[in-house]
Amino acid sequence: MAAGFPLSIGHAIAGALAALILGTLAAVAWVAGGLSGLTEWDLRAVWFTLWQAALSATLSAALAVPVARALARRRFRGRGLLVTLLGAPFILPVIVAVLGLIAIFGRNGALNGALEALGLPAIGIYGWQGVILAHVFFNLPLSVRLILQGWQAIPAERFRLAASLDFAPRDIARHLERPMLRGVLPGVWLAVFLVCLTSFTVALALGGGPRATTVELAIYQAFRFDFDLGRAAALGMVQIAICIAAAALAARITVPVGFGAGLDALGGPPAPGGWRRLADAAVIAAAAAFLLAPLISVAATGLPRLTALPPEVWQATRRSVLMAVISALLCAGAALALALTMARGAARWVEAAGMLPLIASPLVLGTGLFILLRGTVTPQQMALPVTALINAAMALPFALRALIPAARALEQDYGQLAASLDLRGWARLRLLVLPRLARPLGFGAGLAAALAMGDLGVITLFAGDRPTLPLMLYQLMNGYRMADAAACALLLMGLSLGLFWMFDMGGRRDA
């Protein structure tokens, strides 16, 4: 308790966060009253959730291997930009990407136009195949980044030794690359599997029906259409159990790769010529086209309509920006207080409370809050505050991961000096903490703002006549106003990336 301010606030925030997550989950469990209320339809949703997540993870990891290998062994102009763009889908609003995929793979999309010209049958995007396609679109870049890090972690000395022994490409693959992949791929697969387990927006836009409904979508349907709180709560408990089981499995399956340490010299796998050079170029071009074509299509269609959007879109824009900024500030403030508390050796429960949002989905938390607050406020009154609060909570673990190492270094390097100068409270925050932690704090706030800006989850439970921008986009798509939807998507994409950039650059300024 030496410096007072962050420690006491950090404990209070940890307690409030634990009460929010565990309290809402307890409310859901209380209303659920067991799993006997689940129907055959719900069990199908559970089965679909599991197998689509498994197939999406398998395809994403398998397709990422040749792309990561090509990027690891080739150097070309624009490579750095392409690797940076691979991180964009993480902060890209899901509904924007779905609209882009429809523009390319939909009934009137570019791909079906080409197939028709060749006299081939058209393909459909709605159903399980569309859900899996969208999941691969979002998770292929994540898988490539993770596997590329594995390739870059192989010491350059190993490749030089392989060259001195005159190893052929198949020998390098056998002795260096396959062992690395055996260590990295299980973690990649499980990371994607976890992401796909909680899929909602993709299933809402492209799935539905008896053969393509996830548990999250089933919760929404039970809550919104049937108003069956017991069934929604039971589905929520199933969702939590699946997430906890998958997270526990992910924590156990981490296979170390025994390459040993290197000298951190620059280098990488050799770049073979001949057909392998052409194959690498083709793989990189195909991946870039798959990831960028939907976004380029949205921009090209939406730009001419941008200034002609109806007034309700701009009203939704103001609501979304306000909610995103509030979520970012809530997330950044809570993450800063928790990180400083952990850096001073707080009890393990404080860190555990910061990670609690990982076990609950936004829809489950929204259902729990509705159960707790019904009778006191209307769903429309709680829509924006609850959405801002839940979005801040869901982004908190990511912000904490960025802040905790920097906060611990700050405490180790300057803690004793600050204590000897009796630097505490606002003066410590202004003169020491904020200047040293501005970069990770800005990154965390930017991430929270971008995720909140593009969220189409909990707002669908409560929104009446005051939709946010992602919900407005979804309504335009359902109304087949595709040109307006594309312009709305372009606006949403620009605001999400702009908010992330604004907070992230604000953290870098003078830091």
Side-chain angles (χ1 to χ4, degrees):
M1 298 283 177
F5 160 70
L7 195 60
S8 57
I9 292 182
H11 281 90
I13 289 175
L17 187 63
L20 172 68
I21 305 296
L22 299 179
T24 50
L25 296 185
V28 168
W30 177 264
V31 172
L35 304 180
S36 58
L38 295 180
T39 64
E40 183 182 351
W41 177 292
D42 298 325
L43 298 179
R44 286 185 183 179
V46 175
W47 170 242
F48 176 74
T49 300
L50 292 174
W51 79 257
Q52 65 81 21
L55 183 57
S56 298
T58 303
L59 288 174
S60 299
L63 293 174
V65 171
V67 182
R69 181 176 57 188
L71 288 171
R73 62 189 186 185
R74 302 294 171 188
R75 296 293 181 272
F76 54 91
R77 185 173 296 179
R79 178 183 176 279
L81 177 62
L82 179 60
V83 173
T84 301
L85 287 175
L86 290 177
F90 190 70
I91 58 174
L92 183 71
V94 176
I95 192 67
V96 173
V98 167
L99 183 64
L101 290 172
I102 292 174
I104 300 297
F105 299 97
R107 184 179 303 169
N108 299 317
L111 180 60
N112 275 328
L115 291 175
E116 185 180 0
L118 295 173
L120 297 173
I123 62 171
I125 193 174
Y126 294 100
W128 64 267
Q129 66 274 24
V131 173
I132 291 170
L133 175 70
H135 284 164
V136 172
F137 175 83
F138 278 105
N139 295 297
L140 178 62
L142 171 66
S143 304
V144 170
R145 289 288 293 264
L146 293 174
I147 296 172
L148 182 59
Q149 288 176 10
W151 246 289
Q152 292 170 337
I154 301 176
E157 290 83 357
R158 304 298 184 274
F159 289 114
R160 284 201 288 271
L161 178 61
S164 68
L165 294 174
D166 199 23
F167 273 16
R170 64 175 178 276
D171 299 319
I172 294 176
R174 177 184 176 188
H175 294 286
L176 296 178
E177 294 175 333
R178 288 177 193 163
M180 179 276 294
L181 290 173
R182 281 197 294 271
V184 171
L185 280 180
V188 172
W189 189 91
L190 276 167
V192 177
F193 181 75
L194 275 169
V195 171
C196 296
L197 277 181
T198 56
S199 175
F200 171 69
T201 303
V202 167
L204 177 69
L206 298 176
R211 299 179 62 186
T213 296
T214 61
V215 174
E216 290 276 287
L217 184 56
I219 293 172
Y220 165 75
Q221 291 169 342
F223 185 100
R224 188 77 181 182
F225 298 138
D226 304 330
F227 199 64
D228 187 343
L229 288 181
R231 186 167 145 249
L235 285 164
M237 296 305 298
V238 171
Q239 177 75 331
I240 293 166
I242 293 174
C243 289
I244 291 176
L249 187 62
R252 287 179 176 273
I253 299 181
T254 304
V255 181
V257 183
F259 289 117
L263 299 176
D264 293 333
L266 294 178
W275 67 269
R276 291 184 177 86
R277 184 185 185 90
L278 294 176
D280 285 348
V283 164
I284 293 172
F290 176 61
L291 296 173
L292 297 179
L295 304 183
I296 293 173
S297 174
V298 168
T301 308
L303 192 59
R305 287 285 301 172
L306 196 57
T307 57
L309 282 171
E312 56 266 27
V313 171
W314 298 108
Q315 294 167 4
T317 301
R318 286 193 288 273
R319 280 192 285 274
S320 283
V321 171
L322 177 63
M323 185 200 65
V325 170
I326 292 174
S327 289
L329 295 178
L330 284 174
C331 178
L336 179 62
L338 287 173
L340 291 175
T341 303
M342 293 174 200
R344 292 175 184 176
R348 298 279 298 175
W349 74 269
V350 175
E351 184 169 357
M355 296 296 131
L356 271 178
L358 291 176
I359 68 168
S361 74
L363 285 185
V364 174
L365 293 180
T367 304
L369 284 175
F370 176 83
I371 292 169
L372 292 172
L373 298 177
R374 62 176 169 170
T376 57
V377 292
T378 65
Q380 289 72 32
Q381 288 174 322
M382 71 173 79
L384 294 181
V386 165
T387 303
L389 179 65
I390 290 180
N391 277 314
M394 300 309 293
L396 188 59
F398 302 105
L400 274 177
R401 289 297 100 190
L403 266 172
I404 289 174
R408 285 179 172 152
L410 171 73
E411 186 62 26
Q412 182 176 357
D413 295 341
Y414 299 98
Q416 290 186 353
L417 177 62
S420 68
L421 296 174
D422 197 26
L423 191 63
R424 62 175 62 197
W426 171 247
R428 180 187 175 104
L429 187 68
R430 182 172 60 86
L431 298 175
L432 177 61
V433 174
L434 289 181
R436 306 296 303 181
L437 301 185
R439 283 175 182 265
L441 191 62
F443 172 79
L447 193 60
L451 294 177
M453 189 72 206
D455 178 65
L456 182 61
V458 68
I459 188 66
T460 58
L461 295 178
F462 303 113
D465 55 353
R466 302 175 63 197
T468 57
L469 193 56
L471 186 55
M472 176 62 69
L473 169 56
Y474 178 67
Q475 291 171 348
L476 290 172
M477 289 171 62
N478 275 350
Y480 298 101
R481 296 167 60 183
M482 301 310 286
D484 284 343
C488 188
L490 182 61
L491 178 64
L492 178 57
M493 182 166 57
L495 286 171
S496 297
L497 298 178
L499 282 172
F500 175 79
W501 177 85
M502 185 183 72
F503 280 104
D504 188 42
M505 289 306 295
R508 293 172 185 272
R509 187 179 180 184
D510 299 329

